[in-house]
Amino acid sequence: MSAATPSDDESGLPTADDVLARIDTTVAHPARRYNYWLGGKDNFAVDRASGDLIAGRFPAVPAAARANRAFAGRAVQYLARRGIRQFLDIGTGLPGPGNTHEVAQRIDPLSRVVYVDNDPIVLAHARALLIGATQYTVAYLDRDLRDPDGILHDEALSSTLDLARPVAVLLVAVLHFIDHPEPHDIVARLRQALAPGSYVVLSHGTADFLNEQDRAALPGLTARDATGFYPRSRDDLLALLDGLDLVKPGLVSVRDWRNPDDPGPFSAEEIGVYGAVARIP
């Protein structure tokens, strides 16, 4: 994965030719597979085959994808209603209904959002997302989460968000694609850059509820992916959020976080994704 890609496009994003040159249809990509599980059309045969293989072993996975996206929407709504007007959505994935800026700007049209992703398919859709957004309130960075300083020092971020004021950083279903110990370093660097009163929104896959046989099967199911999958335990995730104030109900299944609706037919254990919102004191 790369950091910024040179571009002569006015949006600051790679040109269409640059994007097409970076798309690899021979290996599954998490963003495209996630899109498939959500019922989207922005995926390739290899992504659908990978998605079906994983869902064949873990039938709750498509429901987990939907529960995860719904969690992100509820978290943004919760924070926007409490006065947060700046959002940094890292590893945003393919646009769909309920994008972060749409949820936040329904509450305050002047809410500002910076999206960060480095998948070329996501970048191809970013132009349409930016065209439909309010000018100067939404930006998109072609950056890699593994380079947090590159994100924090990007001119498009500094021209959209004021890091001296509270910001909500969304790390939704992205850290589980990064191997240990990088997630700890990444989260620590992002936290250091945020003003008091900022928030971290986190969701992450876990193997806490899997039997040994299913746990052992996970690496093989993602062996040919563009990136690996690294589930983490509840204790691992609490360590990432150490020193922050967890918003009630704390670190729970994304299915259950402040969800007044029917959680669906799958249990929290079957969903296998933790979610939390935490405040920087």
Side-chain angles (χ1 to χ4, degrees):
M1 295 184 184
S2 63
T5 300
S7 169
D8 54 12
D9 184 272
E10 292 183 359
S11 69
L13 297 173
T15 65
D17 287 344
D18 291 334
V19 168
L20 289 173
R22 289 169 56 185
I23 296 174
D24 186 351
T25 63
T26 66
V27 294
H29 193 283
R32 302 193 307 252
R33 184 173 56 215
Y34 188 73
N35 173 265
Y36 172 56
W37 284 332
L38 291 173
K41 298 179 180 179
D42 298 303
N43 47 74
F44 298 105
V46 66
D47 307 306
R48 296 189 289 274
S50 174
D52 289 342
L53 182 67
I54 295 172
R57 185 68 181 251
F58 302 103
V61 161
R66 294 190 293 271
N68 182 73
R69 187 163 182 87
F71 158 75
R74 293 195 304 274
V76 170
Q77 186 177 68
Y78 170 87
L79 295 174
R81 286 177 172 169
R82 280 151 185 80
I84 298 297
R85 296 294 179 263
Q86 301 189 109
F87 298 84
L88 175 57
D89 188 345
I90 305 177
T92 181
L94 284 153
N99 295 303
T100 297
H101 76 280
E102 294 170 331
V103 176
Q105 290 179 356
R106 278 199 294 268
I107 294 170
D108 185 339
L110 296 181
S111 294
R112 294 174 174 265
V113 178
V114 171
Y115 292 103
V116 182
D117 210 295
N118 70 341
D119 176 58
I121 289 287
V122 175
L123 298 173
H125 285 266
R127 290 181 178 81
L129 184 150
L130 292 176
I131 290 170
T134 306
Q135 191 177 19
Y136 307 123
T137 63
V138 178
Y140 207 108
L141 310 187
D142 177 16
R143 290 281 182 178
D144 194 317
L145 175 58
R146 292 174 296 189
D147 178 21
D149 284 321
I151 294 171
L152 293 168
H153 296 146
D154 194 291
E155 184 178 349
L157 184 145
S158 60
S159 64
T160 307
L161 304 181
D162 178 2
L163 295 185
R165 298 171 55 224
V167 176
V169 174
L170 277 66
L171 298 170
V172 175
V174 62
L175 285 173
H176 52 219
F177 298 118
I178 297 177
D179 200 1
H180 181 81
E182 283 186 281
H184 296 271
D185 300 334
I186 290 166
V187 174
R189 180 65 190 97
L190 293 171
R191 285 171 55 171
Q192 290 169 5
L194 300 178
S198 295
Y199 287 83
V200 174
V201 178
L202 173 72
S203 71
H204 199 295
T206 185
D208 280 359
F209 310 109
L210 297 182
N211 59 42
E212 288 303 317
Q213 185 177 10
D214 285 342
R215 193 188 301 258
L218 278 175
L221 292 173
T222 59
R224 296 185 61 194
D225 279 12
T227 185
F229 178 72
Y230 307 96
R232 292 184 170 87
S233 70
R234 177 181 175 82
D235 287 344
D236 290 336
L237 299 180
L238 287 173
L240 287 177
L241 301 172
D242 185 45
L244 305 187
D245 299 327
L246 285 171
V247 172
K248 292 181 179 179
L251 182 67
V252 298
S253 171
V254 290
R255 186 197 84 134
D256 298 329
W257 195 88
R258 292 181 175 263
N259 183 12
D261 301 322
D262 181 353
F266 292 100
S267 68
E269 291 77 13
E270 289 171 310
I271 292 295
V273 182
Y274 285 121
V277 176
R279 184 179 183 273
I280 296 178

